[in-house]
Amino acid sequence: MNIVVIGGAGYIGSHAVKLLVEKGHTVSCIDNLTNGHRAAVHANARFHPVDLVNTFQIIDVFQKDKIEAVMHFAASAYVGESVTDPRKYYRNNVANTISMLDAMHATGIKKLVFSSTCATYGMPPKMPITEDLPQNPINPYGDSKLMVEHMLKDIAKAEGLAFAAPRYFNVAGSAPDGSIGEDHRPETHLIPVLLNVALGKVPHINLYGTDYPTKDGTCVRDYIHVWDLVQAHLILLENLKPGQGLFYNLGVGKGYSNREIIDAVKRVTKKNIPVIESPRRPGDPPELFAAPDKIKRELGWSAQFTNLDQIVETAWRWFQAHPNGYG
């Protein structure tokens, strides 16, 4: 297929581009490089430095590259920032997605995989999280993603759009061959922050909250490997039917505490990780982990990287080879 990856120069998007190219698809990448890296885009993908706000430029790319399906990863994704600057999140995550959907409608594209998030569930009433739990976001980031889910359902009914909206948990790791990896500016994800400490780029890690009602007092999260995640996206795309909306939680179905993550990084890197215990951050749920049974039952997907040390090892391989990221 001719597939376009929106946000294909970002962390997850670049891995999707790589996978699709390796599977023999013709891949285009659209990214305004606000947060992405041109060097992360596979050499065999067509790159278009276009902003989603420019609907007619998006239409031009879709027409010239004869696009048949879209994977949409482009979004602002810092929870704390969404609280202090909600306009940015509704503009980037909602309004720009409308612009992209207008371009799809104008060019007759009917297949879309949209990256959603477990943040749409807010503070879930139980663990693990199943797809039928209430969606009550507690921040503008989660609200913006849920708004898009609602839009997609309505458009699917009206126009026959086929879409999937996988809800992610914590994404980690790097491409198994070490060719691309995670490089955020600023970096807020726990594993890469810890690896920067191991490299000596950061003096210590702040451990926010040690008095949660969990096994060791720290937050518990589900960590899914980025390569497993993008393979699930391809399976979703291959299973889309006209007018259908697919919703799946993508995780490993097990939660790891922050202390367990720190210990894993110590084991893998064989480095000391200085830790400063700090107060809780507002809005951090004690536990978040997925029940991925639905996608395994219906589509046969399950995570292959389920060992925490294995996930960290792939990230460490990238960080050692690229201590300054993409430069």
Side-chain angles (χ1 to χ4, degrees):
M1 295 180 70
N2 294 338
I3 303 171
V4 65
V5 179
I6 311 290
Y11 171 42
I12 301 172
S14 62
H15 285 79
V17 170
K18 175 178 169 64
L19 174 67
L20 292 170
V21 169
E22 291 178 355
K23 293 293 185 179
H25 296 284
T26 300
V27 184
S28 300
C29 167
I30 290 177
D31 200 300
N32 65 8
L33 299 180
T34 298
N35 295 308
H37 305 276
R38 179 65 182 87
V41 181
H42 196 285
N44 291 336
R46 301 164 177 160
F47 179 71
H48 301 278
V50 177
D51 196 296
L52 279 187
V53 72
N54 298 311
T55 310
F56 290 106
Q57 291 183 31
I58 303 297
I59 289 172
D60 189 52
V61 171
F62 288 177
Q63 289 176 332
K64 285 181 177 177
D65 290 359
K66 298 180 172 59
I67 298 302
E68 299 168 88
V70 177
M71 287 190 181
H72 179 26
F73 298 94
S76 298
Y78 294 113
V79 169
E81 183 188 48
S82 78
V83 175
T84 59
D85 190 5
R87 287 177 183 272
K88 176 179 178 180
Y89 281 70
Y90 293 118
R91 183 187 312 112
N92 289 351
N93 298 359
V94 181
N96 284 356
T97 298
I98 293 173
S99 173
M100 182 205 73
L101 289 167
D102 286 345
M104 289 179 64
H105 181 65
T107 52
I109 300 169
K110 296 289 189 179
K111 290 187 176 183
L112 169 67
V113 181
F114 165 72
S115 65
S116 193
T117 170
C118 65
T120 64
Y121 294 109
M123 295 279 199
K126 65 173 186 175
M127 290 293 142
I129 299 172
T130 53
E131 289 84 355
D132 58 354
L133 286 182
Q135 290 177 282
N136 297 303
I138 59 172
N139 52 64
Y141 167 62
D143 273 324
S144 70
K145 290 288 190 172
L146 185 55
M147 284 182 182
V148 175
E149 287 193 16
H150 289 320
M151 288 194 312
L152 295 178
K153 285 188 282 189
D154 290 339
I155 292 171
K157 287 178 185 177
E159 302 173 3
L161 174 71
F163 77 91
R167 296 168 185 149
Y168 304 174
F169 286 69
N170 287 38
V171 187
S174 298
D177 64 5
S179 60
I180 54 176
E182 189 168 7
D183 183 9
H184 296 111
R185 313 288 175 89
E187 186 56 76
T188 61
H189 295 170
L190 180 58
I191 290 176
V193 170
L194 288 167
L195 294 177
N196 280 327
V197 175
L199 287 172
K201 297 176 65 179
V202 180
H204 62 266
I205 179 76
N206 286 305
L207 181 58
Y208 294 105
T210 58
D211 59 348
Y212 286 97
T214 58
K215 48 191 169 183
D216 61 19
T218 64
C219 289
V220 171
R221 297 290 185 265
D222 190 325
Y223 286 82
I224 178 173
H225 195 279
V226 65
W227 201 244
D228 281 331
L229 186 81
V230 296
Q231 292 192 78
H233 282 66
L234 180 54
I235 290 171
L236 289 169
L237 180 63
E238 291 170 342
N239 281 275
L240 288 178
K241 295 178 177 61
Q244 182 182 46
L246 302 176
F247 296 94
Y248 293 105
N249 291 337
L250 296 185
V252 299
K254 177 181 178 180
Y256 292 101
S257 75
N258 286 347
R259 288 196 191 279
E260 288 176 320
I261 299 296
I262 292 169
D263 289 343
V265 171
K266 287 180 179 178
R267 286 193 300 271
V268 170
T269 66
K270 298 178 172 56
K271 303 284 187 180
N272 182 44
I273 306 292
V275 175
I276 294 179
E277 296 186 359
S278 304
R280 295 185 186 188
R281 293 181 300 192
D284 271 344
E287 290 186 292
L288 288 175
F289 59 95
D293 309 76
K294 182 185 175 188
I295 189 170
K296 182 177 182 179
R297 182 177 64 251
E298 295 182 0
L299 300 181
W301 176 90
S302 60
Q304 301 304 301
F305 290 84
T306 57
N307 179 278
L308 182 56
D309 286 18
Q310 185 184 26
I311 293 172
V312 173
E313 281 169 3
T314 66
W316 182 231
R317 190 178 308 134
W318 156 260
F319 271 74
Q320 284 182 296
H322 306 85
N324 296 313
Y326 289 103

